[in-house]
């Protein structure tokens, strides 16, 4: 349960509270069987002060104004982690016949402009693929930057971090992913956290089928290429033999299942589901199977064998061909082998969008650097966001770059990137930091002074503290710590404390006089790993 003082909200007017149950946190909210294997309906009575709007992931709600009491009822069985509550200075606007958006007053116009009419389009596309939307309403609430993840698929009421509003393409993908969870994850749920891919892999596949229907195959292939790049980056960091790269991960006693949330759950799971769809020949045949799968198992929890047995029974000709035992691509190997996916999708339909990225990257990384004129003629403002972040991610992977290259990159693109969304800007600033490019460091300071979310602060602090700029990071942190949620503040303290034993003296004269004194913690959390930036693992639930 996250309690926020008014200054941690956008409006700075009223306190705010929200819950985040995934994976096993709702046991601290109410007594429950905190496992996805158990589902039930629920009702709740919530009393709140006047002026505080309360919402829950429920199909029915009423409000008794004279008593300040809200009553909620979820008529369909859900696992405990999908019970969610949010309360604060929230107002709403309808954006479709069965959808409304909730946000703080200062954010609502932006939310309306980004999503009006869009959600119904995505729901209709999903229904054409996977059958009726069974939850009644699909509302969205935008949460303050303290929300610890990007989005959460709470039924009837998707939670999304407000910070993503400025990045249109990421917003589209994140909402469509949560829409897909209405079928895969919420209606049919993985019975154990060891098989989280049954929700995330299937939801990612469904998300991409929806984007293909609404935005075309090229856009879907571009987004997939971006995510698979991130998967291989994570693979390189963790090692191909790491057990967390299995789809069926062994959950040891005492391990928080949330620690298993990684890109393998999403992208390796997606690749397996995509492989199954290719065995059918036509993805529409696979859509028909998934509709039958949802109809058979809705409101229950399943294991992988349920999905695979249903698949083979639905396609008896594939069962006769023993596709589950095809050499090198055995279903059991997909589930239990470490390492990268056994097969990846053909993304050639996205070449019109990915080829320019590959060409520009090659121009900047081929020695000698004699193609600056050609490279500088590329106008990144004309590119899609996913093209630009794919290009910057690849430059980031190659950092540190030769000084001449980073200098020319800044001359060509820095001013263009300044006006772009935060998903783009953070990547350029990470390049600046990893290359110790001092002329643009002031932009890093300015960015961190205006960001309060984990996904836009942690990666930069990790990079600053890995290199030679830790004192710069300390200075910024001391100046901005009061605007950060205590949980985020603690995480950054842990990052800053790595390698500081004993702590050096801090020049407090450089810190604002109203900044309270504080001591960095000596103990470094095992969960903090400077080598693996949240840039690589930042995904929606």
């Amino acid at each position: 349960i996250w309690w926020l003082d008014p200054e941690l909200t956008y409006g700075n007017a009223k306190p705010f509270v929200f819950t985040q149950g995934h994976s096993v946190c709702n046991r601290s909210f109410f007594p429950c069987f905190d496992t996805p294997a158990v589902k039930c309906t629920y009702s709740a009575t919530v009393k709140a002060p006047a002026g505080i709007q309360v919402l829950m992931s429920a199909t029915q709600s009423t409000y008794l104004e004279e008593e300040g009491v809200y009553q909620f009822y979820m008529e369909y069985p859900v696992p405990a982690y999908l019970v969610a509550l949010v309360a604060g200075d929230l107002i709403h606007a309808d954006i479709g016949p069965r959808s409304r958006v909730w946000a703080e007053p200062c954010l609502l116009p932006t939310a309306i402009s980004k999503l009006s009419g869009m959600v119904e389009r995505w729901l209709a596309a999903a229904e054409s693929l996977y059958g009726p939307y069974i939850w009644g309403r699909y509302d969205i609430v935008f949460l303050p930057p303290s929300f610890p993840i990007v989005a959460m698929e709470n039924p009837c009421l998707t939670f999304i971090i407000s910070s993503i509003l400025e990045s249109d393409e990421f917003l589209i993908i994140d909402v469509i992913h949560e829409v897909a969870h209405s079928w895969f994850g919420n209606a049919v749920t993985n019975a154990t956290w060891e098989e989280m891919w049954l929700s995330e892999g299937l939801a990612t596949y469904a998300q991409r089928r929806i984007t293909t229907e609404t935005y075309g195959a090229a856009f879907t292939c571009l987004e997939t290429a971006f995510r698979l790049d991130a998967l291989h980056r994570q693979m390189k960091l963790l090692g191909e033999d790491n057990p967390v790269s299995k789809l069926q991960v062994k959950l040891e006693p005492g391990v928080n299942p949330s620690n298993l949330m990684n890109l393998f759950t999403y992208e390796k799971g997606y690749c397996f589901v995509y492989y199954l769809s290719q065995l059918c020949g036509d993805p529409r045949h696979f859509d028909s199977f998934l509709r039958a799968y949802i109809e058979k198992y809705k409101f229950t929890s399943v294991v992988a064998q349920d999905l695979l047995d249903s698949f083979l029974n639905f396609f008896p000709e594939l069962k006769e061909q023993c596709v589950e035992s095809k050499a090198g691509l055995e279903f059991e190997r997909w589930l239990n082998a470490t390492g990268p996916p056994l097969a990846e999708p053909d993304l050639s339909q996205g070449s019109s969008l990915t080829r320019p990225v590959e060409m520009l990257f090659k121009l900047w990384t081929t020695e000698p650097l004699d193609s600056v004129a050609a490279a500088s003629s590329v106008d990144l403002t004309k590119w899609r966001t996913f093209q630009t972040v794919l290009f910057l991610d690849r430059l980031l992977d190659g950092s540190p770059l030769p000084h001449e290259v980073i200098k020319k990159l800044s001359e060509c693109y820095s001013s263009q990137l300044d006006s772009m969304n935060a998903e783009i800007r953070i990547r350029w600033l990470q390049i600046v930091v990893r290359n110790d490019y001092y002329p643009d460091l002031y932009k890093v300071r300015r960015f961190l002074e205006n960001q309060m979310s984990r996904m836009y602060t942690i990666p930069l602090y990790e990079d600053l503290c890995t290199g030679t700029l830790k004192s710069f990071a300390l200075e910024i942190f001391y100046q901005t710590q009061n605007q950060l949620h205590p949980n985020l503040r603690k995480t950054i303290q842990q990052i800053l404390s790595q390698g500081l034993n004993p702590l050096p003296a801090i020049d407090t004269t450089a810190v604002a006089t109203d900044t309270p004194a504080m001591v960095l913690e000596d103990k470094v959390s095992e969960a903090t790993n400077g080598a693996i930036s949240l840039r690589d693992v930042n995904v929606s639930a």
Side-chain angles (χ1 to χ4, degrees):
I1 306 175
W2 295 61
W3 303 91
L4 308 185
D5 291 328
E7 57 266 28
L8 291 179
T9 68
Y10 282 102
N12 297 306
K14 298 176 183 177
F16 202 98
V17 62
F18 64 85
T19 65
Q20 170 57 18
H22 194 289
S23 307
V24 290
C25 297
N26 268 351
R27 61 190 66 183
S28 66
F29 181 22
F30 58 94
C32 59
F33 293 102
D34 204 358
T35 163
V38 176
K39 292 187 172 186
C40 65
T41 60
Y42 80 85
S43 60
T45 301
V46 184
K47 188 169 185 178
I52 296 294
Q53 175 69 50
V54 181
L55 306 170
M56 289 192 75
S57 56
T59 51
Q60 300 174 28
S61 65
T62 59
Y63 177 51
L64 303 174
E65 186 173 1
E66 63 277 5
E67 299 175 24
V69 170
Y70 293 83
Q71 293 180 322
F72 300 94
Y73 178 57
M74 168 52 81
E75 62 191 282
Y76 303 116
V78 295
Y81 76 90
L82 291 178
V83 177
L85 176 146
V86 59
D89 186 13
L90 296 167
I91 58 175
H92 75 270
D94 290 338
I95 55 171
R98 46 184 163 172
S99 300
R100 63 179 41 156
V101 64
W102 292 86
E104 292 184 62
C106 58
L107 290 176
L108 188 64
T110 302
I112 295 169
S113 68
K114 301 279 187 176
L115 291 173
S116 184
M118 304 303 294
V119 173
E120 183 59 30
R121 181 185 177 193
W122 301 331
L123 285 170
E127 287 184 313
S128 71
L129 294 168
Y130 305 120
Y133 177 75
I134 58 180
W135 302 97
R137 297 197 57 81
Y138 185 91
D139 295 340
I140 297 171
V141 58
F142 284 97
L143 277 73
S146 302
F147 189 51
I149 58 175
V150 179
M152 181 63 207
E153 68 273 16
N154 301 310
C156 307
L157 185 67
T158 287
F159 284 20
I160 299 186
I161 192 168
S162 299
S163 312
I164 208 71
L165 272 169
E166 69 172 272
S167 306
D168 289 1
E169 290 180 24
F170 279 81
L171 176 65
I172 288 169
I173 293 299
D174 289 331
V175 176
I176 293 177
H177 184 83
E178 307 314 320
V179 165
H181 269 308
S182 301
W183 286 263
F184 306 100
N186 294 5
V188 182
T189 309
N190 46 282
T192 165
W193 291 121
E194 295 179 326
E195 294 185 329
M196 211 181 303
W197 73 273
L198 283 169
S199 289
E200 297 302 348
L202 280 161
T204 302
Y205 177 84
Q207 161 211 310
R208 289 176 180 151
R209 287 289 290 127
I210 297 167
T211 59
T212 299
E213 293 295 312
T214 51
Y215 297 100
F219 175 75
T220 298
C221 289
L222 171 64
E223 185 266 334
T224 305
F226 164 72
R227 299 293 187 190
L228 290 178
D229 250 31
L231 175 69
H232 289 289
R233 185 177 304 117
Q234 192 171 88
M235 177 72 64
K236 185 177 179 181
L237 291 167
L238 295 175
E240 292 198 3
D241 295 330
N242 197 305
V244 302
S245 64
K246 295 180 180 181
L247 289 184
Q248 284 188 327
V249 187
K250 179 63 177 174
L251 193 58
E252 300 296 337
V255 174
N256 187 335
S258 293
N259 293 347
L260 302 180
M261 290 287 287
N262 57 54
L263 283 173
F264 301 101
T265 304
Y266 293 77
E267 298 303 334
K268 190 173 181 178
Y270 159 76
C271 287
F272 184 29
V273 176
Y274 180 88
Y275 170 71
L276 294 177
S277 76
Q278 292 300 292
L279 292 174
C280 306
D282 186 333
R284 288 173 294 186
H285 295 160
F286 192 64
D287 295 336
S288 298
F289 157 66
L290 289 177
R291 278 196 298 274
Y293 166 78
I294 292 292
E295 187 58 35
K296 179 178 180 180
Y297 289 110
K298 67 181 177 184
F299 305 131
T300 68
S301 300
V302 300
V303 295
Q305 204 59 49
D306 295 322
L307 172 71
L308 298 176
D309 287 347
S310 296
F311 174 75
L312 293 173
N313 290 334
F314 194 86
F315 297 105
E317 68 279 10
L318 295 179
K319 189 173 185 178
E320 290 175 12
Q321 296 169 25
C322 299
V323 294
E324 74 276 16
S325 304
K326 187 176 179 180
L329 293 164
E330 300 90 346
F331 289 0
E332 191 279 333
R333 188 176 175 193
W334 269 104
L335 295 175
N336 291 302
T338 60
L342 303 182
E344 292 188 10
D346 174 12
L347 302 179
S348 58
Q349 287 183 283
S351 60
S352 63
L353 297 174
T354 56
R355 192 181 301 115
V357 176
E358 293 160 0
M359 291 174 62
L360 186 61
F361 178 72
K362 187 175 182 181
L363 286 174
W364 281 106
T365 53
T366 302
E367 295 184 0
L369 189 64
D370 53 10
S371 305
V372 173
S376 61
S377 67
V378 176
D379 185 357
L380 296 184
T381 63
K382 300 290 197 300
W383 276 16
R384 287 183 172 274
T385 289
F386 279 117
Q387 288 178 291
T388 307
V389 295
L390 184 61
F391 170 62
L392 294 175
D393 273 353
R394 290 182 178 179
L395 288 176
L396 201 49
D397 290 338
S399 293
L401 300 162
H403 180 73
E404 179 190 5
V405 172
I406 187 68
K407 182 173 182 290
K408 293 292 185 183
L409 279 166
S410 179
E411 291 172 0
C412 290
Y413 304 132
S414 186
S415 60
Q416 290 183 36
L417 298 170
D418 284 347
S419 62
M420 296 185 188
N421 62 62
E423 290 289 341
I424 291 173
R425 295 202 314 278
I426 189 174
R427 287 166 167 83
W428 170 245
L429 296 177
Q430 285 185 277
I431 292 171
V432 167
V433 170
R434 291 193 192 181
N435 287 275
D436 294 332
Y437 188 64
Y438 289 92
D440 276 2
L441 270 186
Y442 75 96
K443 296 181 180 181
V444 177
R445 177 192 295 275
R446 188 169 62 198
F447 186 84
L448 288 173
E449 285 173 348
N450 290 284
Q451 292 293 338
M452 296 182 287
S453 66
R454 296 183 72 87
M455 63 185 186
Y456 296 140
T457 53
I458 297 296
L460 275 172
Y461 274 108
E462 287 180 335
D463 284 347
L464 286 166
C465 293
T466 300
T468 61
L469 296 167
K470 181 171 284 189
S471 60
F472 179 70
L474 280 165
E475 182 184 336
I476 297 171
F477 176 70
Y478 275 93
Q479 291 172 347
T480 61
Q481 60 175 320
N482 287 343
Q483 69 191 45
L484 305 176
H485 187 276
N487 290 6
L488 177 56
R489 196 183 309 156
K490 181 178 179 181
T491 301
I492 296 173
Q493 288 172 346
Q494 291 167 343
I495 294 169
L496 291 167
S497 69
Q498 291 185 54
L500 297 183
N501 193 20
L503 291 175
I506 302 296
D507 179 10
T508 56
T509 61
V511 182
T513 55
D514 60 348
T515 302
M518 62 145 254
V519 179
L520 294 178
E521 298 183 7
D522 291 325
K523 183 179 179 183
V524 178
S525 166
E526 293 178 2
T528 303
N529 184 343
I532 303 176
S533 166
L534 286 192
R535 174 179 68 89
D536 303 319
V537 298
N538 183 24
V539 285
S540 309

